[in-house]
Amino acid sequence: MKTISNKSKIVFLSTFPPTQCGIATYTQDSIKGITDVFGKSITCEICELVNEPKPKPTQAFTLNTKDKAEYAKVAEQINNDKSVKLVHIQHEFGLFGGNYGDYLLDFLNVIKKPLTYTFHSVIQNPNNELKTFVKLLLSYSNSVFVMTNQSKEILMRDYDIDEKIITCVPHGTHIVIYETPDQAKQKFGIQDRKVLSTFGLLGEGKNIETGLQALPKIIEKEPNVLYLIIGKTHPNLIKDGVDAYRDKLEGIVEDLNLKDNVRFINQYLDTNELLDYLKATDVYLFTSKDPNQAVSGTFSYAMSCACPMVASKIPHTLEVLTSDCGILVDIGNVDQFAEETIKLLADDNLREEMGINAFTKMRASSWENVAIKHMNTYKTLMENPGEIKFTYPSIQLRHIKKLTTDLGIIQFSKISIPDLSSGYTLDDNARALIAFCMHFKLTKDKEDLPYILIYLDFIERCQKPKGNFINYVDQENREHIEQNAEVNLEDSNARALWALGTVVSIGDLLPEAISKKASKVLLNSLKWAETIQSPRSIGFATKGLYLYNTAVPNLYVAAIINKLNAKLLSNYEIHASSDWKWFENYMTYGNGILPESMLFAYLVTNKPIYKKVALDSLDFLMSKMFVNKNFKVISNNGWLHKGEEPKEYGEQPIDVAYTIHTLNSFYDAFGTPEYKHKMKTAFNWFLGKNHLNQIMYNPVSGGGYDGLEKENVNLNQGAESTVCYLTARLLMENLKSSDTKVIPLMKSRKDGIAINS
């Protein structure tokens, strides 16, 4: 296991908690995002900006910004650390000493490391002195980050900065598990109230008085409204123990008789509690009065928690807040704030729609996605950074357990809320059974056993007297002729065999009753299994029968494997040519199961033709999915037809997961290092190595996102995508353990496993 000294270091010049300021929190969250995504190969250190000597430094470096002599001295200290590959300066003019913070030049004149900035303030129409100073700062670097497109335009227009050195990365946000305000309010006992909120370090710029002055008119229409004012006063504004701004706000509450409708939460809340308050909000009031405020973290956080918004017009809100997410009003206009808030409070459907739109829009700016965007620029600046590797997230079961009832796993999810009306399918319960068997084999966690039994019982419940299965059952456990006739029943039936074989294959780890039940259901299906015709169904069934046969050798089962794959081989011989080594004239979904089926047939029968076709078809499939060292999923926008160019976008997690399954089987069989490398490359698709540079899972719950489109991620987390992400993650954990011979697992919470890479 590598030590930290072998990692590339990035040093951040910034304030840092426990200092209470927006930039300190921003830097802390940025570093956590980078560490969560890239901590395997990158470590972040702080050069803490303080305004008085710190007797016991808590960070790697400390810079007293009022002491001009310290700037060069600290730069030399950073220069002396050979593992530091980049310095990232969080820049705000007031953070550094001197005119416009020009003490920083003493640091810049000495530092020899590549560096970049994040400009937290970008001032329009600068005077000549300011313009010259900003250009001078950027002469020391060929990189600067800003958080809005308008800031980028100002730098180009007003400061003559080259567009090529500017990277626009939105203010980061925290990923939360979506829930409705009514659900979230229960944590705080305010479910009977319509909740307005605002948060942040309080000060005149927040202009909270506008919200308070609008409240009487709002109360006339909504008497039970509760306005939460969340956050402490900015520490710089408290003089000699006197909090003048809060006193002023409390005076307004008293004068307007608002005590029953206003609650001050005078605390610096931890992140999770703050996010819970935002999720409990019916309408967020963003009342800032600074017309030049380039960016607001509080505004971003509120949108990311699905808060419908009434917001004053500042550059950030004008750029980001579209009419489908909230309403813009003039700065300080009490009547507009009141009228628009009343409009939203009166329309439950509009608020829900706006909240979901805001939530969806802000997922691209999660701290994980922000980290990926930062790293893409860092790599162009760092000298010999070494290989930047993704860190695998913890294995989380929260969402898959949330989707599961006593009957089985629910088919669909509206974002992260299970849609019970969508019912249950054999397909999804078979996939879930495979996933929990894999997890149990890895962890021996007895909490998995009830779930294994639920999914197994569902499969048994779907079996018909002739051994085949129905696919769909509604929320009342009723069968529907229409739904069970519309889908490809052969595929879902064959997946059931894959799941049953998986259970039997780990029978020595499971209670005997579970493995016996799986074996009985599988054996009952064999007569039907012989009749399977479609290629993918043959593949799914073969995988299950192979797993069964490895645990319980059975000549009849082996004969069925041979019979099915003779059909698949015939398909190959009909359709394959020198430039199209495939089983059909097109590639659709789950393609990897076809060469995998040939592999299992070879391992059972030892027939060389099966081995040859397995390897040839796998190589052909990989040539379509791994192009110029990049992984590309076969698009579901028309699929890939022989003689045609691949389609773009429409990428689904199921194909990524099946590719990893297939490569894993071939790696187990032949030990070819290329297969292992391709597994890692494919799994990186989930981690953000895709055309949108966005993660494809919810790191809090383990939910898998339903698809990757041209311009957005489908944030619904249904059973198929969640299970596919989970099984892929488990395969990668097994791969890692086979590399290290040790599985360093540590339970971090009831439904999560933290992985120590």
Side-chain angles (χ1 to χ4, degrees), residues 440-497:
F440 184 72
K441 184 178 179 182
L442 177 70
T443 66
K444 312 300 187 297
D445 186 346
K446 291 183 178 178
E447 291 183 13
D448 292 346
L449 295 176
Y451 292 89
I452 288 172
L453 192 56
I454 286 171
Y455 307 134
L456 178 58
D457 283 347
F458 185 88
I459 293 173
E460 183 183 43
R461 179 255 179 270
C462 290
Q463 190 166 41
K464 309 310 287 181
K466 292 184 179 180
N468 61 322
F469 304 84
I470 61 163
N471 186 56
Y472 179 80
V473 173
D474 72 11
Q475 65 191 81
E476 305 297 334
N477 198 12
R478 296 173 302 198
E479 300 176 19
H480 289 251
I481 295 173
E482 302 82 14
Q483 284 93 332
N484 284 306
E486 286 172 2
V487 297
N488 185 342
L489 284 181
E490 217 173 53
D491 272 13
S492 60
N493 277 234
R495 273 201 192 89
L497 295 188

Side-chain angles (χ1 to χ4, degrees), residues 26-46:
Y26 177 90
T27 302
Q28 183 182 50
D29 289 333
S30 294
I31 287 173
K32 185 179 185 301
I34 291 167
T35 303
D36 286 349
V37 179
F38 299 106
K40 188 173 184 179
S41 50
I42 292 288
T43 188
C44 299
E45 291 187 342
I46 299 296

Side-chain angles (χ1 to χ4, degrees), residues 30-103:
S30 294
I31 287 173
K32 185 179 185 301
I34 291 167
T35 303
D36 286 349
V37 179
F38 299 106
K40 188 173 184 179
S41 50
I42 292 288
T43 188
C44 299
E45 291 187 342
I46 299 296
C47 177
E48 186 177 8
L49 304 179
V50 298
N51 54 22
E52 58 185 27
K54 201 166 184 179
K56 291 184 178 179
T58 54
Q59 301 298 338
F61 307 96
T62 304
L63 171 57
N64 180 0
T65 57
K66 291 183 177 179
D67 185 347
K68 195 170 188 292
E70 279 212 9
Y71 286 80
K73 179 177 149 189
V74 171
E76 283 289 6
Q77 291 173 358
I78 295 172
N79 286 338
N80 290 334
D81 188 338
K82 292 181 180 179
S83 59
V84 174
K85 303 294 183 181
L86 181 74
V87 174
H88 191 154
I89 300 170
Q90 301 297 318
H91 186 271
E92 173 73 65
F93 295 102
L95 284 180
F96 304 97
N99 188 32
Y100 289 125
D102 63 4
Y103 283 11

Side-chain angles (χ1 to χ4, degrees), residues 15 38 81 126 128 184 235-236 298 319 394 398 409 415 435 456 562 611 645 647 672 694 717 721-722:
T15 53
F38 299 106
D81 188 338
N128 286 336
N236 294 348
T298 61
E319 182 171 315
S394 66
R398 288 176 66 181
I409 191 167
I415 306 183
L456 178 58
N562 185 44
K611 179 182 179 182
E645 288 298 311
K647 306 291 194 302
T672 307
Q694 293 187 33
Q717 295 151 56
S721 51
T722 293

Side-chain angles (χ1 to χ4, degrees), residues 339-359:
E339 289 164 11
E340 301 302 343
T341 302
I342 289 167
K343 182 191 299 182
L344 289 184
L345 290 176
D347 192 333
D348 295 349
N349 291 333
L350 178 61
R351 287 200 316 279
E352 180 180 10
E353 184 180 329
M354 281 185 168
I356 289 174
N357 289 338
F359 180 92

Side-chain angles (χ1 to χ4, degrees), residues 122-123 164 172 189 237 256 273 278 343 500 528 533 643 658:
V122 180
I123 299 170
K164 293 176 184 175
L237 299 179
L256 297 179
E273 188 173 5
L278 292 176
K343 182 191 299 182
L500 294 166
W528 167 83
Q533 297 297 325
Y658 280 11

Side-chain angles (χ1 to χ4, degrees), residues 313-330:
K313 297 171 183 174
I314 66 164
H316 192 189
T317 60
L318 285 165
E319 182 171 315
V320 174
L321 190 65
T322 48
S323 59
D324 59 344
C325 300
I327 301 170
L328 289 165
V329 299
D330 295 330

